[in-house]
Amino acid sequence: MSAAATLYVISAVLEVGGIIKTVADILNARQNLRDYIRRPRHVYPPGATAAVKAYDAAATSDPKTLERRVKDLEEWKRSVLPEELNRRDGEVTARLEARLQGDLDVSRRSVETQLMEVSEYLEGGLQSATVSYWGPAALFAGVVIGFCGNLVALGGI
């Protein structure tokens, strides 16, 4: 077998192998992307806890008349109730703001984690650096060796 024919055979094998490897890499990339999209996402749990506060009613030993009870209730309604409502409103608002901020922080961390994972996938961090270059490299080597075979066949080398 002549040198040119040997180079042609090597060139053909490399080119066909390069094309097959490139197509296989493309199909594997599609499967890897499908698997990546279907995998479970990491979602951070909220860290808020519910605070429960019980209020004790003050009990007295002396019996009160209905008029005295109504008078005490009216006085409580004028003096204590507005302050108590403002205090409770402030507490509820502070708890809701803390809970909302906690939920927003958790959502932000979950989205940031997902974006980092997507970026890592798109940059190729989940595969070896050479996996997608073997096919084109073999194809390029096959073309170069085929060119060398043409030069040998023409008597140039």
Side-chain angles (χ1 to χ4, degrees):
M1 190 191 256
S2 71
T6 302
L7 290 175
Y8 287 146
V9 169
I10 293 171
S11 171
V13 168
L14 285 173
E15 288 176 14
V16 169
I19 290 171
I20 290 172
K21 177 66 174 143
T22 301
V23 170
D25 285 344
I26 291 170
L27 293 176
N28 286 338
R30 289 177 59 195
Q31 181 63 40
N32 289 342
L33 179 60
R34 189 176 307 120
D35 292 344
Y36 175 78
I37 289 171
R38 290 182 181 161
R39 77 178 188 169
R41 301 283 178 232
H42 181 79
V43 177
Y44 294 95
T49 58
V52 178
K53 193 172 184 181
Y55 294 96
D56 292 329
T60 60
S61 60
D62 56 337
K64 294 184 181 180
T65 64
L66 182 59
E67 292 81 20
R68 178 69 183 157
R69 288 181 186 213
V70 170
K71 184 179 175 189
D72 288 346
L73 182 60
E74 290 294 330
E75 183 180 325
W76 177 81
K77 189 172 127 183
R78 278 191 309 275
S79 63
V80 178
L81 184 62
E83 293 172 13
E84 182 66 19
L85 289 176
N86 286 338
R87 185 188 63 75
R88 284 190 182 181
D89 185 44
E91 276 184 19
V92 169
T93 301
R95 273 194 230 147
L96 287 175
E97 286 174 350
R99 176 77 187 255
L100 179 62
Q101 187 61 44
D103 289 347
L104 287 174
D105 289 342
V106 165
S107 297
R108 179 187 49 78
R109 284 191 306 172
S110 296
V111 169
E112 283 176 351
T113 300
Q114 289 176 8
L115 286 175
M116 281 185 354
E117 290 173 353
V118 167
S119 295
E120 181 182 355
Y121 179 82
L122 292 176
E123 291 171 359
L126 302 178
Q127 60 187 359
S128 69
T130 59
V131 72
S132 57
Y133 298 113
W134 284 113
L139 186 59
F140 178 73
V143 170
V144 170
I145 291 174
F147 177 71
C148 292
N150 286 339
L151 289 178
V152 168
L154 293 174
I157 295 182

